[in-house]
């Protein structure tokens, strides 16, 4: 004889199983998806820090390179007839840019004719790389201790300075090499840049930034214990100029790392650097693990509530099986997500409310998942799309452009003078300026186009036009953006002014999107080098503009 279950027992088992599985599955799905998004955001954040440091190093070295090149054109230095006058000029540059630990003029034999700090005059530097490299052309030496400067300049600890060599040839009126303009650049500026980035982005979270020589991966900047040590970086992962990855290092600890490869100064080889920003996964993913735990616990809590509710409901069921069958059959046939209103037996009404609450909970969970997806693709401060949102838009826009035979204008924007506002008035004022800038930029574009904030004071605008109108529309939009961003910002009792530099290029079907964005970024730096508050568009549709 088959054993039968009591109606209360049967309903309780069914209700408990369904509630536990549904709540746990939904909670686990939401938790795992949220963790994946959080991990990606952490990697992108570390990559952004590495990119900022690499960009700062490149810009700084380019500025010093330009200064030395300009100074080498001065007749007083080229003719070497007045050492006192030469020393005065060199002192002026060192006063204006304290990062120069020493600047000197060497004659054709490598003897110091004049120098800053009244030091090393008459010293023979003919055997130094800075002299031989400077004779051959623009020279950037690797990082080393300034042993020759030790009697004149030292660190607070008394150790020699760590410097980088800069040298350029001095040409006489006939174009022949007459000597070398040499300089030692104090490496402390790079350490200060590193410290400022870490301080701005809460270094207390255990973030470690290290700068490596690309050729041997030896640390030249970073924690004191790491200097001079080789850091094993998986070279096969460095497939792009920047990115992020998770790996185990020599100590065995798993870390998430963002990196950026600095290519140094154009036309000068041997100065490549890798900026590596690392954080222990134990710290970086702590929030993600807590979110997963809390989500699962919440799901289990919901399951427990449903179990208790089901037990009380089923215990009171005494109505005929036929009445229950009619309700369930009608629900099965109609396939409605919402149960119809039922009046009659109290036990069936209670069951109706329980199932209705379950469906409502499932619906709310889907809504919450959609809201989390929206947050992941938008900048918290300005509400603009973030880098992830920009990438999603570009993927969709590429398909539209291909179908319509259109062109995308990719514009990279960077604010001029924003750092001074941040430093003078504080980050709260800076954030208000960023919000206003975001609103102004957004007002300059059309429906279907996008303006995104990709980090700090950096923005990207994507325009969509026909091939014949793309360049003209891009010029008009650039001018409109520059004009509106340059308008004063009334903040409290202050009138603040910032500028805007823009670099852009165009993308159409068949071109590489990442390469196009990189070229737009190069155009941005060209705008900054030309004086800022201007736009430089690389017209790869017909020629440079």
């Amino acid at each position: 004889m088959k054993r039968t279950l009591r109606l209360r027992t049967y309903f309780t088992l069914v209700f408990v199983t369904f509630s536990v599985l549904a709540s746990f599955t939904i909670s686990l799905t939401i938790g795992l998806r949220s963790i994946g998004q959080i991990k990606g955001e952490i990697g992108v954040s570390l990559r952004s820090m590495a990119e900022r440091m690499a960009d700062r190093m490149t810009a700084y070295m380019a500025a010093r390179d330009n200064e030395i090149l300009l100074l080498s054109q001065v007749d007083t230095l080229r003719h070497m007839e007045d050492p006192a006058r030469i020393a005065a000029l060199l002192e002026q540059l060192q006063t204006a840019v304290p990062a120069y630990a020493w600047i000197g003029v060497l004659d054709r034999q490598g003897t110091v004719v004049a120098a800053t700090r009244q030091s090393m005059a008459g010293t023979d530097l003919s055997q130094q790389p800075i002299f031989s490299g400077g004779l051959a052309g623009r020279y950037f030496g690797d990082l080393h201790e300034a042993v020759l400067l030790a009697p004149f300049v030292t660190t607070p600890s008394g150790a020699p300075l760590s410097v980088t060599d800069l040298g350029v040839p001095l040409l006489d009126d006939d174009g022949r090499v007459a000597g070398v303009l040499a300089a030692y650049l104090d490496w402390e500026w790079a350490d200060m840049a590193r410290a400022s980035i870490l301080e701005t982005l809460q270094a207390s979270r255990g973030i470690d930034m290290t700068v490596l020589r690309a050729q041997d991966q030896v640390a030249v900047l970073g924690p004191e214990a790491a200097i001079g040590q080789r850091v094993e970086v998986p070279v096969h992962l460095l497939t792009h100029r920047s990115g992020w990855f998770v790996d185990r290092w020599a100590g065995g600890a798993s870390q998430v790392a963002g990196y950026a490869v600095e290519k140094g100064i154009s036309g000068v080889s041997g100065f490549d650097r890798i900026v590596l920003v690392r954080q222990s996964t134990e710290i970086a993913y702590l929030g993600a693990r807590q979110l997963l735990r809390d989500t699962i616990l919440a799901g289990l809590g919901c399951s427990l509530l449903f179990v208790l509710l089901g037990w009380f409901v089923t215990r009171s069921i005494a109505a005929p099986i036929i009445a229950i069958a009619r309700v369930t059959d009608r629900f099965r046939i109609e396939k409605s997500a919402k149960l119809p209103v039922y009046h009659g037996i109290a036990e069936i009404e209670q069951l109706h409310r329980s199932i209705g609450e379950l469906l409502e909970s499932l619906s709310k969970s889907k809504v919450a998942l959609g809201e989390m997806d929206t947050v992941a693709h938008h900048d918290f401060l300005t509400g603009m799309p973030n880098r992830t949102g920009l990438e999603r838009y570009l993927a969709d826009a590429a398909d539209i452009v291909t179908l319509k035979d259109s062109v995308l204008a990719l514009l990279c924007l960077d604010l001029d003078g924003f750092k001074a506002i941040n430093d003078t008035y504080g980050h709260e004022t800076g954030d208000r300026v960023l919000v206003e800038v975001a609103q102004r930029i957004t007002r300059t574009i059309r429906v279907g186009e996008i303006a995104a904030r990709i980090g700090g004071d950096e923005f990207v605008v994507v325009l969509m036009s026909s091939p014949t109108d793309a360049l003209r529309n891009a010029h008009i939009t650039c001018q409109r953006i520059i004009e509106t961003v340059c308008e004063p910002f009334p903040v409290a009792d202050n009138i603040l002014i910032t500028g805007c530099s823009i670099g852009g290029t165009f993308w159409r079907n068949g071109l590489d999107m990442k390469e196009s964005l990189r070229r737009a970024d190069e155009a941005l730096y060209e705008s900054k080098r030309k004086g800022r508050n201007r736009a430089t568009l690389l017209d790869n549709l017909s020629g440079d503009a």
Side-chain angles (χ1 to χ4, degrees):
M1 183 177 181
K2 292 184 179 180
R3 183 178 179 180
T4 60
L5 296 176
R6 296 176 59 186
L7 183 62
R8 183 180 65 183
T9 304
Y10 180 78
F11 271 33
T12 300
L13 290 175
V14 172
F15 198 86
V16 167
T17 302
F18 177 77
S19 300
V20 171
L21 289 178
S23 299
F24 183 79
T25 301
I26 293 174
S27 301
L28 185 62
T29 301
I30 295 174
L32 291 177
R33 182 165 183 176
S34 300
I35 286 177
Q37 294 174 346
I38 292 173
K39 289 183 177 181
E41 290 175 357
I42 291 172
V44 170
S45 175
L46 296 180
R47 181 190 69 186
S48 178
M49 292 175 62
E51 289 174 341
R52 288 178 58 189
M53 183 63 184
D55 291 343
R56 285 193 184 187
M57 293 175 64
T58 299
Y60 193 90
M61 294 303 293
R64 304 292 79 78
D65 179 51
N66 288 334
E67 289 163 358
I68 292 298
L69 285 174
L70 288 175
L71 190 60
S72 69
Q73 305 301 314
V74 176
D75 290 342
T76 302
L77 274 67
R78 293 191 303 110
H79 296 158
M80 304 186 197
E81 296 174 351
D82 190 348
R85 174 63 175 161
I86 294 174
L89 290 174
L90 300 182
E91 291 286 357
Q92 290 178 9
L93 177 58
Q94 187 178 48
T95 301
V97 186
Y100 287 110
W102 179 86
I103 313 173
V105 172
L106 285 61
D107 63 18
R108 190 67 179 80
Q109 287 72 42
T111 302
V112 178
V113 175
T116 57
R117 304 182 184 273
Q118 299 180 353
S119 60
M120 298 173 60
T123 303
D124 182 9
L125 299 184
S126 60
Q127 300 304 312
Q128 299 297 318
I130 194 172
F131 174 69
S132 58
L135 284 178
R138 291 164 60 199
Y139 172 74
F140 274 78
D142 206 349
L143 186 67
H144 66 91
E145 291 185 348
V147 178
L148 295 175
L149 283 180
F152 309 100
V153 184
T154 59
T155 61
S157 64
L161 289 175
S162 293
V163 297
T164 298
D165 297 347
L166 286 81
V168 296
L170 293 172
L171 306 180
D172 60 20
D173 293 337
D174 295 326
R176 295 173 299 188
V177 177
V180 173
L181 175 58
Y184 291 142
L185 185 62
D186 190 349
W187 192 243
E188 184 181 4
W189 68 267
D191 199 35
M192 293 174 62
R194 168 183 173 272
S196 68
I197 292 177
L198 291 177
E199 181 180 359
T200 302
L201 297 174
Q202 302 177 355
S204 59
R205 295 180 299 172
I207 295 177
D208 168 31
M209 178 183 290
T210 308
V211 178
L212 316 174
R213 284 197 300 260
Q215 58 267 36
D216 56 10
Q217 299 181 9
V218 170
V220 296
L221 179 67
E224 185 175 352
I227 301 298
Q229 302 297 316
R230 190 171 189 273
V231 179
E232 294 289 345
V233 179
V235 179
H236 67 280
L237 295 177
L238 305 180
T239 55
H240 304 286
R241 181 187 177 274
S242 63
W244 67 276
F245 57 90
V246 178
D247 199 9
R248 291 190 177 275
W249 307 84
S254 176
Q255 292 182 315
V256 56
Y259 70 89
V261 180
E262 182 210 3
K263 291 301 183 182
I265 308 301
S266 177
V268 180
S269 61
F271 201 73
D272 294 359
R273 296 288 186 265
I274 299 173
V275 180
L276 194 64
V277 182
R278 294 177 290 178
Q279 187 178 29
S280 168
T281 53
E282 182 178 355
I283 298 175
Y285 296 160
L286 178 61
R289 289 193 295 269
Q290 290 176 341
L291 175 61
L292 178 60
R293 182 195 63 191
D294 294 343
T295 303
I296 293 177
L297 289 177
L300 292 175
C302 291
S303 299
L304 179 60
L305 290 177
F306 284 129
V307 168
L308 293 175
L309 180 61
W311 186 81
F312 282 110
V313 170
T314 57
R315 188 179 65 171
S316 62
I317 292 180
I321 298 178
I322 297 177
I324 297 176
R326 288 175 180 173
V327 174
T328 55
D329 286 344
R330 195 169 78 184
F331 182 79
R332 177 178 57 82
I333 296 172
E334 295 178 356
K335 300 184 182 296
S336 175
K338 183 177 181 181
L339 293 176
V341 177
Y342 180 84
H343 295 289
I345 301 174
E347 291 79 3
I348 297 179
E349 292 179 356
Q350 182 65 38
L351 179 61
H352 167 272
R353 286 193 294 270
S354 298
I355 297 177
E357 290 173 0
L358 177 61
L359 295 176
E360 183 180 357
S361 176
L362 293 174
S363 177
K364 288 181 179 179
S365 296
K366 293 180 180 179
V367 172
L369 185 61
E371 291 175 350
M372 293 173 67
D373 186 73
T374 299
V375 170
H377 290 82
H378 286 78
D379 177 50
F380 177 78
L381 175 64
T382 63
M384 300 178 83
N386 57 16
R387 189 182 296 272
T388 305
L390 173 63
E391 291 174 353
R392 171 181 284 187
Y393 172 86
L394 289 176
D396 295 337
D399 294 335
I400 296 174
V401 166
T402 301
L403 290 173
K404 295 185 176 181
D405 193 26
S406 301
V407 173
L408 293 180
L410 309 177
L411 308 179
C412 291
L413 288 69
D414 191 34
L415 299 185
D416 299 327
F418 177 76
K419 184 179 183 298
I421 293 176
N422 242 357
D423 293 343
T424 303
Y425 299 98
H427 294 293
E428 182 177 355
T429 297
D431 287 348
R432 293 173 64 183
V433 170
L434 284 174
V435 171
E436 178 61 24
V437 167
Q439 294 173 353
R440 293 183 182 184
I441 293 175
T442 301
R443 288 195 293 267
T444 64
I445 63 176
R446 300 170 297 187
V447 174
E449 299 174 337
I450 190 173
R453 180 187 179 212
I454 61 174
D457 58 349
E458 301 174 358
F459 302 83
V460 171
V461 172
V462 181
L463 311 176
M464 190 177 298
S465 305
S466 65
T468 56
D469 296 333
L471 182 60
R472 181 177 62 85
N473 289 344
H475 274 298
I476 293 174
T477 303
C478 287
Q479 187 60 35
R480 189 183 302 135
I481 291 173
I482 292 174
E483 290 175 356
T484 187
V485 170
C486 288
E487 291 177 4
F489 295 85
V491 178
D493 295 330
N494 302 300
I495 300 298
L496 308 179
I497 297 176
T498 185
C500 176
S501 295
I502 304 176
T505 188
F506 301 87
W507 182 91
R508 59 185 173 188
N509 186 32
L511 298 179
D512 184 90
M513 184 69 74
K514 291 183 178 180
E515 177 63 17
S516 297
L517 287 170
R518 185 191 66 77
R519 294 196 67 204
D521 194 57
E522 290 179 350
L524 168 61
Y525 282 102
E526 180 65 19
S527 292
K528 286 186 171 292
R529 286 193 289 270
K530 289 181 178 178
R532 304 185 177 184
N533 276 338
R534 64 181 64 210
T536 300
L537 297 179
L538 300 180
D539 179 15
N540 52 340
L541 301 178
S542 58
D544 286 346

